[in-house]
Amino acid sequence: MPESDYPDIRELHLFSDMADEHFLSLMRGAYVQNFPPQIELITEGDPSDFLHIILSGSVDLFSTWNGRETSMATVRPISTFILAATVKDAPYLMSAQTLEKSRIALIPSQDVRAVFDADGNFARAIVTELAQCYRSVVKVQKDLKLRTSLERLANYLLRKQKNAGGAAEFDLDYEKKRLASVLGMTPENLSRAFKGLQPYGVSVNGARVRIGDQEDLERFAKPNPLIDDFTT
Amino acid sequence: MPESDYPDIRELHLFSDMADEHFLSLMRGAYVQNFPPQIELITEGDPSDFLHIILSGSVDLFSTWNGRETSMATVRPISTFILAATVKDAPYLMSAQTLEKSRIALIPSQDVRAVFDADGNFARAIVTELAQCYRSVVKVQKDLKLRTSLERLANYLLRKQKNAGGAAEFDLDYEKKRLASVLGMTPENLSRAFKGLQPYGVSVNGARVRIGDQEDLERFAKPNPLIDDFTT
DNA sequence: GCGTCGACTTGATAAATGTTAAGCTGCGAA
DNA sequence: TTCGCAGCTTAACATTTATCAAGTCGACGC
């Protein structure tokens, strides 16, 4: 891996507290690759040979069963993914494909496990990261089980709006087909759901969303930090 | 905590490799309590003051939103729960209530975090535990998003059967109302789903389930280790 | 400009799931 | 024993969501 990439990775919470010696040993075995869009990086069920770190671009994590497919999450820079499979030395549970041109660092899983055994700070950082991941998935599960698709969309839009600094207008950051899959519905149903939110002041034009009356939408969506706040 | 409880807890993977000194310091601050059935041990949103370890009985983890409630998981001895909230010092995401008379150990969260900082072996054990929890929730999410309720029930029954040693008959281990909630459906729909599995040789009498033709049911259920095998 | 393609939308219809209400059944208390 | 109740089932109906089939629209290449 080019040394110019070291600082970005070193800044990641996961690597910031570990000993230099261990960090360098991880980096020596790692390499960086550029991938075009729509490349399948990982296939679920395969052994977890590498811990992946996305440096630029974006990656979709998805799963399939019996001819069906669903999008589980989207990964954006700079973060790792498939950490749990790496530390457990277990098969990947999700597949991964690039959504756009992406730069990705790959660290051999056995190196990660070796350093994890040797460096307590690294182990502790992994704990924090995994706890975060776990809590995020629990929130998604609550979202899926407790809300209708209309409510999921409404809360999704409010979260995006918050991310966009609270602006009344913002852009969806991926295609609607994928958004539908993330929210656990069909594209057709997503179209209808957007219509269903019009009475609460939501309008859409392509990828551009406008929330006319945030309070009105919130009265309907009833956002809850124990489901919608992914920072805690 | 009575010293007679130490060995059971010490055997838990989470505590088996840590230094004696640290284990004892955790136990000194801990205590054990017996709870009657239907007692709410934890309320979601509360600060995570204790790591809980269930020594006997069983505990339901559930969540609520907007007047709705869903069962997220059931915890059985001997294991910990609410580990992620403890290590992150973040609010509980789920509530917990005893299903039956239960004996539960409580370790102050701040003690866990302190020992976690001091003991690398403990930190590593927490990583393995959290990775396991994370992967389990991902599997549940795949189950929810990729399968219909009939398919979820069919695969649930096959998993239970495996747990029961492959016997053709076995007992459901909690009431159907709760099972319905775990599987993400209403009790009425669960009744219909059991009927819907009759053509595949499933019969039910109270809590007793009989799988007449396992292969036939498997042809319908299409179980997949990346969803249904909770040991990896 | 023209055609083509993919993303999205729309409407009609079907399937899955939830809701409401009623009734059954087994069990424990009076 | 009888009553009352909780858990479960059933049936009718309502709602939600998916599926299928057109149809619109805009981007792109030729």
Side-chain angles (χ1 to χ4, degrees):
Chain A
M1 179 187 308
E3 290 201 10
S4 59
D5 283 323
Y6 286 16
D8 280 346
I9 295 175
R10 187 61 150 149
E11 267 177 26
L12 273 178
H13 169 76
L14 195 54
F15 302 102
S16 60
D17 287 342
M18 68 194 302
D20 271 330
E21 165 200 356
H22 296 134
F23 178 72
L24 291 173
S25 112
L26 279 184
M27 291 303 106
R28 267 193 298 274
Y31 59 101
V32 172
Q33 239 178 306
N34 285 299
F35 294 95
Q38 311 298 336
I39 291 292
E40 187 157 327
L41 302 170
I42 286 174
T43 303
E44 59 178 292
D46 283 358
S48 54
D49 296 328
F50 296 97
L51 175 65
H52 291 60
I53 304 170
I54 177 166
L55 301 172
S56 72
S58 57
V59 168
D60 182 48
L61 302 181
F62 65 99
S63 281
T64 57
W65 178 78
N66 192 27
R68 298 169 211 164
E69 178 177 322
T70 189
S71 186
M72 304 284 286
T74 304
V75 192
R76 296 181 180 287
I78 298 180
S79 62
T80 65
F81 55 98
I82 314 283
L83 179 57
T86 291
V87 301
K88 286 218 68 171
D89 196 9
Y92 295 124
L93 291 180
M94 301 182 271
S95 301
Q97 73 167 355
T98 52
L99 292 174
E100 45 191 319
K101 189 166 167 298
S102 300
R103 187 170 169 79
I104 289 165
L106 301 150
I107 307 180
S109 292
Q110 58 190 48
D111 294 359
V112 174
R113 287 191 294 270
V115 172
F116 156 76
D117 282 334
D119 191 312
N121 281 333
F122 185 48
R124 278 185 280 277
I126 290 181
V127 165
T128 310
E129 180 95 355
L130 278 177
Q132 175 71 37
C133 292
Y134 172 76
R135 289 171 62 89
S136 296
V137 189
V138 168
K139 285 168 191 162
V140 170
Q141 194 184 324
K142 290 170 68 173
D143 192 47
L144 281 170
K145 290 185 79 177
L146 291 167
R147 289 172 172 164
T148 66
S149 60
L150 198 59
E151 290 163 346
R152 289 200 294 278
L153 175 60
N155 281 292
Y156 175 86
L157 294 178
L158 287 169
R159 292 198 299 268
K160 280 293 148 197
Q161 186 194 27
K162 209 168 190 177
N163 277 359
E169 287 197 20
F170 57 91
D171 284 325
L172 298 173
D173 46 10
Y174 36 74
E175 46 183 355
K176 294 207 180 103
K177 199 169 63 174
R178 185 169 316 280
L179 174 57
S181 183
V182 168
L183 293 176
M185 57 178 118
T186 57
E188 293 94 331
N189 200 23
L190 177 62
S191 271
R192 283 188 275 261
F194 271 118
K195 277 199 157 177
L197 291 180
Q198 276 177 13
Y200 304 100
V202 174
S203 50
V204 200
N205 196 315
R208 193 102 191 136
V209 175
R210 179 179 169 76
I211 294 183
D213 183 343
Q214 183 184 335
E215 286 189 13
D216 199 18
L217 185 58
E218 281 180 349
R219 258 192 305 279
F220 169 74
K222 299 186 175 60
N224 181 318
L226 298 179
I227 303 180
D228 301 296
D229 182 353
F230 283 83
T231 63
T232 61
Chain B
M1 180 189 307
E3 290 200 11
S4 59
D5 284 323
Y6 286 16
D8 281 347
I9 295 175
R10 186 60 150 152
E11 267 177 26
L12 273 178
H13 169 77
L14 195 56
F15 301 102
S16 60
D17 287 342
M18 67 193 304
D20 270 333
E21 165 201 356
H22 295 136
F23 179 73
L24 291 173
S25 113
L26 277 184
M27 291 304 105
R28 266 193 299 273
Y31 60 101
V32 173
Q33 238 178 305
N34 285 301
F35 294 95
Q38 312 298 335
I39 290 292
E40 187 158 327
L41 301 170
I42 286 174
T43 303
E44 60 178 293
D46 283 358
S48 53
D49 295 329
F50 296 98
L51 175 65
H52 291 60
I53 304 171
I54 177 165
L55 301 174
S56 72
S58 57
V59 168
D60 181 49
L61 302 181
F62 65 99
S63 281
T64 56
W65 178 78
N66 193 27
R68 297 168 212 165
E69 178 176 323
T70 189
S71 185
M72 305 282 287
T74 304
V75 192
R76 296 181 181 285
I78 299 178
S79 63
T80 64
F81 55 97
I82 315 284
L83 179 57
T86 291
V87 301
K88 286 217 66 169
D89 196 8
Y92 295 124
L93 291 180
M94 300 180 274
S95 301
Q97 72 166 356
T98 53
L99 291 175
E100 44 191 320
K101 189 166 168 300
S102 300
R103 187 169 169 79
I104 288 163
L106 301 150
I107 307 180
S109 292
Q110 58 190 46
D111 294 359
V112 174
R113 287 191 294 271
V115 172
F116 156 76
D117 283 334
D119 191 313
N121 282 332
F122 185 48
R124 279 185 280 276
I126 290 181
V127 164
T128 309
E129 180 96 355
L130 278 176
Q132 174 72 37
C133 292
Y134 172 77
R135 288 172 62 90
S136 296
V137 189
V138 168
K139 285 168 191 163
V140 171
Q141 195 185 325
K142 290 170 69 173
D143 192 47
L144 281 170
K145 290 185 79 177
L146 290 167
R147 289 171 170 164
T148 65
S149 60
L150 198 59
E151 291 162 344
R152 288 199 296 277
L153 175 61
N155 281 292
Y156 175 86
L157 293 179
L158 288 168
R159 292 198 300 267
K160 279 294 146 196
Q161 187 194 25
K162 209 168 190 178
N163 276 1
E169 288 198 17
F170 56 92
D171 284 324
L172 297 173
D173 48 9
Y174 35 67
E175 47 183 354
K176 294 209 180 101
K177 198 170 63 174
R178 186 169 315 281
L179 174 58
S181 183
V182 168
L183 293 176
M185 58 178 114
T186 57
E188 293 90 337
N189 201 22
L190 177 63
S191 272
R192 281 190 283 257
F194 271 118
K195 278 199 156 176
L197 290 180
Q198 277 178 11
Y200 304 99
V202 174
S203 50
V204 200
N205 195 315
R208 192 104 189 134
V209 175
R210 178 179 170 77
I211 295 183
D213 183 345
Q214 184 183 336
E215 286 188 13
D216 198 19
L217 185 58
E218 280 180 351
R219 259 192 304 279
F220 168 75
K222 299 187 174 59
N224 181 316
L226 299 179
I227 302 181
D228 300 296
D229 182 354
F230 283 82
T231 64
T232 63

